[in-house]
Amino acid sequence: MAATTAGAMSLGAFKKMTDDFSPSDEKMPVLFVGHGSPMNAIEDNEFSQRWRKMGQEIQKPTAVLVISAHWLTRGTAVTAMNSPKTIHDFGGFPKALFDVEYPAPGKPELAEEVKNLVKMTNVGLDHDWGLDHGSWSVVRQMYPDADIPVLQMSIDYNQPPQFHYNLGKELAALRRKGVLILGSGNMVHNLRMATFGTKPPEFAFDWAVEINEVFKKNIAEKNHAPLINYSSLGEAAKLAIPTPDHYYPMLYTLGLQENDEKISFFNDKAVMGSLTMTSVKIG
């Protein structure tokens, strides 16, 4: 629902939509966010600043559904608890990062709706996971008041790329119910080749820049087939995606792109030589 429409709605009508996810003629945008280091959750830097600005630019959602690179499962699940815990799924970082709690509520009713929407596979209702740093590091910057329900959908790591793209398509109805669908990963993510401060901050391997531009070109042209079959894109793609965990969240979001929707890129920058923070707004 566009901001101008929300402004014209009565408080009662908006509350009804928020409470029961009633459909709207307008649809929420979709985001793929390069989340990078967990430190982006607490640092005031160019990436976190842009996340905060994005949270102000788009209509406040009724809920956020995150597909995070850090919840890999056998089968597909969605968090279904009232109060998801904050998961500190990393090591070697300052205590200040481990002290962060992001107490956003869950929304069991929405989890049930996700389960019912998806026809291609069974979606389990999870009561154990919570919000990992691929989720809260970004959403905390976008919505610091933690007043919007946040759910996560897991990535079935046994399935091929086409599965994840198709599953994203099945979530389309949520966009007209005020739900922000957010994929969180990194287009280019090769930690084994990361420079970790041994090179200047602006350094990027040639292959990382090359394949990032290929990804962007195909996204802008809505040419999704080579992005799904990324292994056909050559050696640079193999270096960019040694494992697909951080890449798959992007496929969910691309599956939601409609023909008439605009694409814009933000945080389009390489870090540590072999990662890109490049993010995409659809709609």
Side-chain angles (χ1 to χ4, degrees), residues 165-245:
Y165 180 84
N166 293 345
L167 183 49
K169 284 184 175 295
E170 294 204 337
L171 302 174
L174 297 177
R175 297 182 63 189
R176 285 188 163 82
K177 297 188 175 187
V179 179
L180 174 63
I181 301 173
L182 189 157
S184 178
N186 291 95
M187 286 190 199
V188 176
H189 187 268
N190 189 329
L191 288 182
R192 287 176 285 185
M193 296 184 69
T195 55
F196 292 110
T198 62
K199 298 278 189 182
E202 65 274 11
F203 174 79
F205 290 107
D206 290 343
W207 59 263
V209 175
E210 170 196 334
I211 196 62
N212 202 63
E213 290 303 314
V214 171
F215 292 156
K216 287 169 56 184
K217 182 177 186 295
N218 282 294
I219 292 169
E221 295 175 354
K222 201 176 183 290
N223 186 22
H224 294 169
L227 295 167
I228 296 167
N229 302 307
Y230 61 86
S231 59
S232 67
L233 292 175
E235 187 62 28
K238 293 177 183 176
L239 290 169
I241 312 168
T243 58
D245 45 340

Coordinates of all heavy atoms in Angstrom, one line a residue, residues 165-245:
Y165 N 13.3 -20.0 -6.3 CA 12.7 -19.0 -7.1 C 11.2 -19.3 -7.2 O 10.4 -18.3 -7.0 CB 13.3 -19.1 -8.5 CG 12.8 -18.1 -9.5 CD1 13.2 -16.8 -9.6 CD2 11.8 -18.5 -10.4 CE1 12.8 -15.9 -10.5 CE2 11.3 -17.6 -11.4 CZ 11.8 -16.3 -11.4 OH 11.3 -15.4 -12.3
N166 N 10.8 -20.5 -7.4 CA 9.3 -20.8 -7.5 C 8.6 -20.6 -6.2 O 7.4 -20.2 -6.2 CB 9.1 -22.3 -8.0 CG 9.6 -22.5 -9.4 OD1 9.8 -21.5 -10.2 ND2 9.8 -23.7 -9.8
L167 N 9.3 -20.9 -5.1 CA 8.6 -20.8 -3.8 C 8.4 -19.3 -3.5 O 7.4 -18.9 -2.9 CB 9.5 -21.4 -2.7 CG 9.0 -21.4 -1.3 CD1 7.6 -21.8 -1.2 CD2 9.9 -22.2 -0.4
G168 N 9.4 -18.4 -3.9 CA 9.2 -17.0 -3.8 C 7.9 -16.5 -4.5 O 7.1 -15.8 -3.9
K169 N 7.6 -17.1 -5.7 CA 6.4 -16.7 -6.4 C 5.1 -17.0 -5.6 O 4.2 -16.2 -5.7 CB 6.4 -17.5 -7.7 CG 7.3 -16.9 -8.8 CD 7.1 -17.7 -10.1 CE 7.9 -17.1 -11.2 NZ 7.5 -15.8 -11.6
E170 N 5.2 -18.0 -4.9 CA 3.9 -18.4 -4.1 C 3.6 -17.5 -3.0 O 2.6 -17.6 -2.4 CB 4.1 -19.9 -3.7 CG 4.1 -20.9 -4.8 CD 3.7 -22.3 -4.5 OE1 3.7 -22.6 -3.3 OE2 3.2 -23.0 -5.4
L171 N 4.5 -16.6 -2.6 CA 4.3 -15.7 -1.5 C 3.7 -14.4 -2.0 O 3.5 -13.5 -1.2 CB 5.6 -15.4 -0.8 CG 6.4 -16.6 -0.3 CD1 7.7 -16.2 0.3 CD2 5.6 -17.3 0.8
A172 N 3.4 -14.3 -3.3 CA 3.0 -13.0 -3.9 C 1.8 -12.3 -3.2 O 1.8 -11.1 -3.1 CB 2.8 -13.2 -5.4
A173 N 0.9 -13.1 -2.8 CA -0.4 -12.5 -2.2 C -0.1 -11.7 -1.0 O -0.9 -10.8 -0.6 CB -1.4 -13.6 -1.9
L174 N 1.0 -12.0 -0.3 CA 1.3 -11.3 1.0 C 1.6 -9.8 0.7 O 1.4 -9.0 1.6 CB 2.5 -12.0 1.7 CG 2.3 -13.4 2.1 CD1 3.6 -13.9 2.8 CD2 1.2 -13.5 3.1
R175 N 2.1 -9.5 -0.5 CA 2.5 -8.2 -0.8 C 1.3 -7.2 -0.7 O 1.4 -6.1 -0.4 CB 3.2 -8.1 -2.1 CG 4.5 -8.9 -2.3 CD 5.1 -8.7 -3.6 NE 5.4 -7.3 -3.9 CZ 5.8 -6.9 -5.1 NH1 5.9 -7.7 -6.1 NH2 6.1 -5.6 -5.2
R176 N 0.1 -7.7 -1.1 CA -1.1 -6.9 -1.0 C -1.8 -7.0 0.3 O -2.9 -6.5 0.5 CB -2.0 -7.4 -2.2 CG -1.5 -6.9 -3.5 CD -2.6 -7.1 -4.6 NE -2.3 -6.3 -5.8 CZ -1.4 -6.6 -6.8 NH1 -0.7 -7.7 -6.6 NH2 -1.2 -5.8 -7.8
K177 N -1.1 -7.6 1.3 CA -1.6 -7.6 2.6 C -0.6 -6.8 3.6 O -0.6 -7.0 4.8 CB -1.8 -9.0 3.1 CG -2.9 -9.7 2.3 CD -3.2 -11.1 2.9 CE -4.4 -11.7 2.1 NZ -4.9 -12.9 2.8
G178 N 0.2 -6.0 2.9 CA 1.1 -5.1 3.7 C 2.3 -5.8 4.2 O 3.0 -5.2 5.0
V179 N 2.6 -7.0 3.8 CA 3.8 -7.7 4.3 C 5.0 -7.4 3.4 O 5.0 -7.5 2.2 CB 3.6 -9.2 4.3 CG1 4.8 -10.0 4.8 CG2 2.3 -9.6 5.1
L180 N 6.1 -6.9 4.1 CA 7.3 -6.7 3.4 C 8.1 -8.0 3.4 O 8.5 -8.6 4.4 CB 8.1 -5.6 4.2 CG 9.6 -5.4 3.7 CD1 9.6 -4.8 2.2 CD2 10.3 -4.4 4.6
I181 N 8.4 -8.5 2.2 CA 9.2 -9.7 2.0 C 10.6 -9.3 1.8 O 10.9 -8.5 0.8 CB 8.6 -10.6 0.9 CG1 7.2 -11.0 1.2 CG2 9.5 -11.8 0.7 CD1 6.5 -11.7 0.1
L182 N 11.5 -9.8 2.6 CA 12.9 -9.3 2.6 C 13.9 -10.5 2.5 O 13.9 -11.4 3.4 CB 13.2 -8.5 3.8 CG 14.5 -7.7 3.9 CD1 14.3 -6.5 4.9 CD2 15.6 -8.6 4.4
G183 N 14.6 -10.6 1.4 CA 15.7 -11.6 1.3 C 17.0 -11.0 1.9 O 17.3 -9.9 1.5
S184 N 17.7 -11.7 2.7 CA 18.9 -11.2 3.3 C 20.0 -12.2 3.1 O 20.0 -13.3 3.6 CB 18.6 -11.0 4.8 OG 19.8 -10.6 5.5
G185 N 21.0 -11.7 2.3 CA 22.2 -12.5 2.1 C 23.3 -11.6 1.5 O 23.6 -10.6 2.0
N186 N 23.9 -12.1 0.4 CA 24.9 -11.3 -0.3 C 25.0 -11.9 -1.7 O 25.2 -13.1 -1.8 CB 26.3 -11.2 0.3 CG 26.3 -10.4 1.6 OD1 26.2 -11.0 2.7 ND2 26.5 -9.1 1.5
M187 N 25.0 -11.1 -2.8 CA 25.1 -11.6 -4.1 C 26.4 -12.3 -4.3 O 26.5 -13.3 -4.9 CB 25.0 -10.4 -5.1 CG 23.6 -9.9 -5.3 SD 23.6 -8.8 -6.8 CE 22.1 -7.9 -6.5
V188 N 27.5 -11.6 -3.9 CA 28.8 -12.1 -4.0 C 29.3 -12.4 -2.6 O 29.3 -11.4 -1.7 CB 29.8 -11.1 -4.7 CG1 31.2 -11.7 -4.7 CG2 29.3 -10.9 -6.1
H189 N 29.6 -13.6 -2.2 CA 29.9 -13.9 -0.8 C 30.9 -15.1 -0.8 O 30.6 -16.2 -0.8 CB 28.6 -14.3 -0.1 CG 28.8 -14.5 1.4 ND1 29.1 -15.7 2.0 CD2 28.8 -13.6 2.4 CE1 29.2 -15.6 3.3 NE2 29.0 -14.3 3.6
N190 N 32.2 -14.7 -0.8 CA 33.3 -15.7 -0.7 C 34.2 -15.3 0.5 O 35.2 -14.6 0.3 CB 34.1 -15.8 -2.0 CG 35.0 -16.9 -2.1 OD1 35.6 -17.4 -1.0 ND2 35.3 -17.4 -3.3
L191 N 33.9 -15.8 1.7 CA 34.6 -15.5 2.9 C 36.0 -16.1 2.8 O 37.0 -15.6 3.4 CB 33.9 -16.0 4.1 CG 32.7 -15.2 4.5 CD1 32.1 -15.8 5.8 CD2 33.0 -13.7 4.7
R192 N 36.2 -17.2 2.1 CA 37.5 -17.8 2.0 C 38.6 -16.9 1.3 O 39.8 -17.0 1.5 CB 37.4 -19.1 1.3 CG 36.8 -20.2 2.1 CD 36.6 -21.5 1.4 NE 35.5 -21.4 0.4 CZ 35.1 -22.4 -0.4 NH1 35.6 -23.6 -0.2 NH2 34.1 -22.3 -1.2
M193 N 38.1 -16.0 0.5 CA 39.0 -15.1 -0.3 C 38.9 -13.7 0.3 O 39.6 -12.8 -0.3 CB 38.6 -15.1 -1.8 CG 38.9 -16.4 -2.4 SD 38.6 -16.4 -4.2 CE 40.0 -15.4 -4.7
A194 N 38.2 -13.4 1.4 CA 38.0 -12.1 1.9 C 39.3 -11.6 2.4 O 40.1 -12.3 3.0 CB 37.0 -12.1 3.0
T195 N 39.6 -10.3 2.3 CA 40.9 -9.7 2.6 C 41.0 -9.3 4.1 O 42.0 -9.2 4.7 CB 41.1 -8.4 1.8 OG1 40.0 -7.5 1.9 CG2 41.3 -8.8 0.3
F196 N 39.8 -9.1 4.8 CA 39.8 -8.9 6.2 C 40.8 -7.9 6.7 O 41.6 -8.1 7.6 CB 40.0 -10.2 7.0 CG 38.8 -11.1 6.9 CD1 39.0 -12.3 6.2 CD2 37.6 -10.8 7.5 CE1 37.9 -13.2 6.1 CE2 36.5 -11.7 7.4 CZ 36.7 -12.9 6.7
G197 N 40.8 -6.7 6.0 CA 41.7 -5.6 6.4 C 43.1 -5.6 5.9 O 43.9 -4.7 6.2
T198 N 43.4 -6.6 5.1 CA 44.8 -6.7 4.5 C 44.9 -5.8 3.3 O 46.0 -5.7 2.8 CB 45.2 -8.1 4.2 OG1 44.3 -8.7 3.2 CG2 45.1 -9.0 5.5
K199 N 43.8 -5.4 2.8 CA 43.8 -4.5 1.6 C 43.0 -3.2 1.9 O 42.3 -3.2 2.9 CB 43.1 -5.2 0.4 CG 43.8 -6.5 -0.1 CD 45.0 -6.1 -1.0 CE 45.5 -7.4 -1.6 NZ 46.7 -7.1 -2.5
P200 N 43.1 -2.2 1.2 CA 42.4 -0.9 1.4 C 40.9 -1.2 1.3 O 40.4 -2.2 0.7 CB 42.8 0.0 0.3 CG 44.1 -0.5 -0.2 CD 44.1 -2.0 0.0
P201 N 40.0 -0.5 2.1 CA 38.6 -0.7 2.1 C 37.9 -0.8 0.7 O 37.0 -1.5 0.5 CB 38.0 0.4 2.9 CG 39.2 0.9 3.8 CD 40.4 0.7 2.9
E202 N 38.5 0.0 -0.2 CA 37.8 0.1 -1.5 C 38.3 -1.0 -2.5 O 37.8 -1.2 -3.6 CB 38.2 1.4 -2.2 CG 39.6 1.7 -2.5 CD 40.4 2.3 -1.4 OE1 39.9 2.3 -0.2 OE2 41.6 2.7 -1.6
F203 N 39.2 -1.9 -2.0 CA 39.7 -3.0 -2.8 C 38.6 -4.0 -3.1 O 37.8 -4.4 -2.2 CB 40.9 -3.7 -2.2 CG 41.3 -4.9 -3.0 CD1 42.1 -4.8 -4.1 CD2 41.0 -6.2 -2.6 CE1 42.5 -5.9 -4.8 CE2 41.4 -7.3 -3.3 CZ 42.2 -7.1 -4.4
A204 N 38.5 -4.4 -4.4 CA 37.6 -5.6 -4.8 C 38.3 -6.4 -5.8 O 39.0 -5.8 -6.8 CB 36.3 -5.0 -5.3
F205 N 38.3 -7.7 -5.8 CA 38.8 -8.5 -6.8 C 38.1 -8.2 -8.1 O 36.9 -8.0 -8.1 CB 38.7 -10.0 -6.4 CG 39.6 -10.4 -5.3 CD1 39.1 -10.7 -4.1 CD2 40.9 -10.5 -5.5 CE1 39.9 -11.1 -3.0 CE2 41.8 -11.0 -4.5 CZ 41.3 -11.2 -3.2
D206 N 38.8 -8.3 -9.2 CA 38.2 -8.0 -10.5 C 37.0 -9.0 -10.8 O 36.0 -8.5 -11.3 CB 39.2 -8.2 -11.7 CG 40.3 -7.1 -11.6 OD1 40.1 -6.1 -11.0 OD2 41.3 -7.3 -12.3
W207 N 37.1 -10.2 -10.4 CA 36.1 -11.2 -10.7 C 34.8 -10.8 -9.9 O 33.7 -11.0 -10.4 CB 36.5 -12.6 -10.4 CG 36.9 -12.9 -9.0 CD1 38.2 -12.9 -8.5 CD2 36.1 -13.1 -7.8 NE1 38.2 -13.1 -7.1 CE2 36.9 -13.3 -6.7 CE3 34.7 -13.2 -7.7 CZ2 36.4 -13.5 -5.4 CZ3 34.2 -13.5 -6.4 CH2 35.0 -13.6 -5.3
A208 N 35.0 -10.3 -8.7 CA 33.8 -9.9 -7.9 C 33.0 -8.7 -8.5 O 31.8 -8.7 -8.6 CB 34.3 -9.5 -6.5
V209 N 33.8 -7.7 -9.0 CA 33.2 -6.6 -9.7 C 32.5 -7.1 -11.0 O 31.3 -6.7 -11.3 CB 34.2 -5.5 -10.0 CG1 33.6 -4.4 -10.8 CG2 34.8 -5.0 -8.7
E210 N 33.2 -7.9 -11.7 CA 32.7 -8.4 -13.0 C 31.3 -9.2 -12.8 O 30.3 -8.8 -13.5 CB 33.7 -9.4 -13.6 CG 33.2 -10.1 -14.8 CD 34.1 -11.3 -15.2 OE1 35.3 -11.3 -14.9 OE2 33.5 -12.3 -15.8
I211 N 31.3 -10.1 -11.9 CA 30.1 -10.9 -11.8 C 28.9 -10.1 -11.1 O 27.8 -10.3 -11.4 CB 30.3 -12.2 -11.0 CG1 29.2 -13.2 -11.2 CG2 30.6 -12.0 -9.5 CD1 29.0 -13.7 -12.6
N212 N 29.3 -9.2 -10.2 CA 28.3 -8.4 -9.6 C 27.5 -7.5 -10.7 O 26.3 -7.4 -10.7 CB 28.9 -7.4 -8.6 CG 27.9 -6.9 -7.6 OD1 27.3 -7.7 -6.8 ND2 27.6 -5.6 -7.5
E213 N 28.3 -7.0 -11.7 CA 27.7 -6.3 -12.8 C 26.8 -7.2 -13.6 O 25.8 -6.8 -14.1 CB 28.8 -5.6 -13.6 CG 29.5 -4.5 -12.9 CD 28.5 -3.4 -12.5 OE1 27.6 -3.0 -13.3 OE2 28.6 -3.0 -11.3
V214 N 27.2 -8.4 -13.8 CA 26.4 -9.4 -14.6 C 25.1 -9.7 -13.9 O 24.0 -9.7 -14.5 CB 27.2 -10.7 -14.8 CG1 26.3 -11.8 -15.4 CG2 28.4 -10.5 -15.7
F215 N 25.2 -9.9 -12.6 CA 24.0 -10.1 -11.8 C 23.0 -8.9 -11.9 O 21.9 -9.0 -12.2 CB 24.3 -10.3 -10.3 CG 25.1 -11.6 -10.0 CD1 25.8 -11.7 -8.8 CD2 25.0 -12.7 -10.8 CE1 26.5 -12.8 -8.5 CE2 25.6 -13.9 -10.5 CZ 26.4 -13.9 -9.3
K216 N 23.6 -7.7 -11.8 CA 22.8 -6.5 -11.8 C 22.1 -6.3 -13.2 O 20.9 -5.9 -13.3 CB 23.6 -5.2 -11.5 CG 24.0 -5.1 -10.0 CD 25.0 -4.0 -9.8 CE 24.6 -2.7 -10.4 NZ 25.7 -1.7 -10.2
K217 N 22.8 -6.6 -14.2 CA 22.3 -6.4 -15.6 C 21.1 -7.4 -15.8 O 20.1 -7.0 -16.3 CB 23.4 -6.7 -16.6 CG 23.0 -6.5 -18.1 CD 24.2 -6.7 -19.0 CE 23.8 -6.4 -20.5 NZ 22.8 -7.3 -21.0
N218 N 21.3 -8.6 -15.4 CA 20.2 -9.6 -15.6 C 19.0 -9.2 -14.7 O 17.9 -9.4 -15.1 CB 20.7 -11.0 -15.2 CG 21.5 -11.6 -16.4 OD1 21.0 -11.8 -17.5 ND2 22.8 -11.8 -16.1
I219 N 19.2 -8.7 -13.5 CA 18.1 -8.3 -12.6 C 17.4 -7.2 -13.3 O 16.1 -7.2 -13.3 CB 18.6 -8.0 -11.2 CG1 19.2 -9.2 -10.5 CG2 17.5 -7.3 -10.4 CD1 19.9 -8.9 -9.2
A220 N 18.1 -6.2 -13.7 CA 17.5 -5.0 -14.3 C 16.7 -5.3 -15.6 O 15.7 -4.7 -15.8 CB 18.6 -4.0 -14.7
E221 N 17.1 -6.3 -16.3 CA 16.5 -6.7 -17.5 C 15.4 -7.8 -17.3 O 14.8 -8.3 -18.2 CB 17.5 -7.2 -18.6 CG 18.4 -6.1 -19.0 CD 19.5 -6.6 -19.9 OE1 19.7 -7.8 -20.1 OE2 20.3 -5.7 -20.5
K222 N 15.2 -8.2 -16.1 CA 14.3 -9.3 -15.7 C 14.6 -10.6 -16.4 O 13.7 -11.3 -16.8 CB 12.8 -8.9 -15.9 CG 11.8 -9.7 -15.0 CD 10.4 -9.2 -15.2 CE 9.5 -10.1 -14.3 NZ 9.3 -11.4 -14.7
N223 N 15.9 -10.8 -16.6 CA 16.4 -12.0 -17.2 C 16.8 -13.0 -16.2 O 18.0 -13.1 -15.8 CB 17.6 -11.6 -18.2 CG 18.0 -12.8 -19.0 OD1 17.3 -13.8 -19.2 ND2 19.3 -12.7 -19.4
H224 N 15.8 -13.7 -15.6 CA 16.1 -14.5 -14.4 C 16.7 -15.8 -14.7 O 17.3 -16.4 -13.8 CB 14.8 -14.6 -13.6 CG 14.3 -13.4 -13.1 ND1 13.0 -13.2 -12.5 CD2 14.8 -12.1 -13.0 CE1 12.8 -12.0 -12.1 NE2 13.9 -11.3 -12.4
A225 N 16.5 -16.4 -15.9 CA 17.0 -17.7 -16.1 C 18.5 -17.9 -15.8 O 18.9 -18.9 -15.2 CB 16.7 -18.1 -17.6
P226 N 19.4 -17.0 -16.3 CA 20.8 -17.2 -16.0 C 21.1 -17.0 -14.5 O 22.1 -17.5 -14.0 CB 21.5 -16.2 -16.8 CG 20.5 -15.2 -17.2 CD 19.2 -15.9 -17.3
L227 N 20.3 -16.2 -13.8 CA 20.5 -16.0 -12.4 C 20.1 -17.3 -11.6 O 20.7 -17.6 -10.6 CB 19.7 -14.8 -11.9 CG 20.1 -13.5 -12.5 CD1 19.1 -12.4 -12.2 CD2 21.5 -13.1 -11.9
I228 N 19.1 -18.0 -12.1 CA 18.7 -19.3 -11.5 C 19.8 -20.3 -11.8 O 20.2 -21.1 -10.9 CB 17.3 -19.7 -12.0 CG1 16.2 -18.7 -11.6 CG2 17.0 -21.1 -11.5 CD1 14.9 -18.9 -12.3
N229 N 20.2 -20.3 -13.0 CA 21.2 -21.3 -13.4 C 22.6 -20.6 -13.4 O 23.4 -20.6 -14.3 CB 20.9 -21.8 -14.8 CG 19.6 -22.4 -15.0 OD1 19.3 -23.3 -14.2 ND2 18.8 -22.0 -15.9
Y230 N 22.9 -20.1 -12.2 CA 24.1 -19.2 -12.0 C 25.4 -20.0 -12.3 O 26.4 -19.4 -12.7 CB 24.2 -18.6 -10.6 CG 24.3 -19.6 -9.5 CD1 25.5 -20.2 -9.1 CD2 23.1 -20.1 -8.9 CE1 25.5 -21.1 -8.1 CE2 23.2 -21.0 -7.9 CZ 24.4 -21.5 -7.5 OH 24.4 -22.4 -6.5
S231 N 25.4 -21.3 -12.2 CA 26.6 -22.1 -12.5 C 27.1 -22.0 -14.0 O 28.2 -22.3 -14.3 CB 26.5 -23.5 -12.1 OG 25.4 -24.1 -12.8
S232 N 26.1 -21.5 -14.8 CA 26.4 -21.4 -16.2 C 27.1 -20.0 -16.6 O 27.5 -19.8 -17.7 CB 25.1 -21.5 -17.1 OG 24.3 -20.4 -16.8
L233 N 27.3 -19.2 -15.6 CA 27.8 -17.8 -15.8 C 29.3 -17.8 -15.7 O 29.9 -16.7 -15.7 CB 27.2 -16.9 -14.8 CG 25.7 -16.6 -15.0 CD1 25.1 -15.7 -13.8 CD2 25.4 -16.0 -16.3
G234 N 30.0 -18.9 -15.6 CA 31.4 -19.0 -15.7 C 32.2 -19.0 -14.4 O 31.6 -19.1 -13.3
E235 N 33.5 -18.8 -14.5 CA 34.3 -19.0 -13.3 C 34.1 -17.9 -12.3 O 34.2 -18.2 -11.1 CB 35.8 -18.9 -13.8 CG 36.8 -19.2 -12.7 CD 36.7 -20.6 -12.1 OE1 36.2 -21.5 -12.8 OE2 37.0 -20.8 -10.9
A236 N 33.8 -16.7 -12.7 CA 33.5 -15.6 -11.7 C 32.3 -15.9 -10.9 O 32.3 -15.7 -9.7 CB 33.3 -14.3 -12.5
A237 N 31.3 -16.6 -11.4 CA 30.1 -16.9 -10.6 C 30.5 -18.0 -9.6 O 30.0 -18.0 -8.5 CB 29.0 -17.4 -11.5
K238 N 31.4 -18.9 -10.0 CA 31.8 -20.0 -9.1 C 32.6 -19.4 -7.9 O 32.4 -19.9 -6.8 CB 32.6 -21.0 -9.8 CG 31.9 -21.8 -10.9 CD 32.8 -22.8 -11.6 CE 32.0 -23.5 -12.7 NZ 32.9 -24.4 -13.5
L239 N 33.4 -18.4 -8.2 CA 34.1 -17.7 -7.1 C 33.1 -16.9 -6.2 O 33.3 -16.8 -5.0 CB 35.2 -16.8 -7.7 CG 36.3 -17.5 -8.4 CD1 37.2 -16.5 -9.1 CD2 37.2 -18.2 -7.3
A240 N 32.1 -16.3 -6.8 CA 31.2 -15.5 -6.1 C 30.3 -16.3 -5.2 O 29.8 -15.8 -4.1 CB 30.3 -14.7 -7.1
I241 N 30.0 -17.5 -5.7 CA 29.0 -18.4 -4.9 C 29.6 -19.7 -4.7 O 29.2 -20.8 -5.2 CB 27.7 -18.5 -5.8 CG1 27.2 -17.1 -6.3 CG2 26.6 -19.2 -5.0 CD1 26.1 -17.2 -7.4
P242 N 30.6 -19.8 -3.8 CA 31.2 -21.1 -3.5 C 30.2 -22.0 -2.8 O 30.2 -23.2 -3.0 CB 32.4 -20.8 -2.6 CG 32.1 -19.4 -2.0 CD 31.3 -18.7 -3.1
T243 N 29.3 -21.4 -2.1 CA 28.1 -22.1 -1.5 C 26.9 -21.1 -1.7 O 27.1 -19.9 -1.6 CB 28.3 -22.4 0.0 OG1 28.5 -21.2 0.7 CG2 29.4 -23.4 0.2
P244 N 25.7 -21.7 -1.9 CA 24.6 -20.8 -2.3 C 23.8 -20.2 -1.2 O 22.8 -19.6 -1.4 CB 23.8 -21.7 -3.2 CG 24.0 -23.1 -2.6 CD 25.4 -23.1 -2.1
D245 N 24.2 -20.4 0.1 CA 23.4 -20.0 1.2 C 23.1 -18.5 1.1 O 21.9 -18.1 1.4 CB 24.0 -20.3 2.5 CG 25.5 -20.0 2.6 OD1 26.1 -19.9 1.5 OD2 26.1 -19.9 3.7

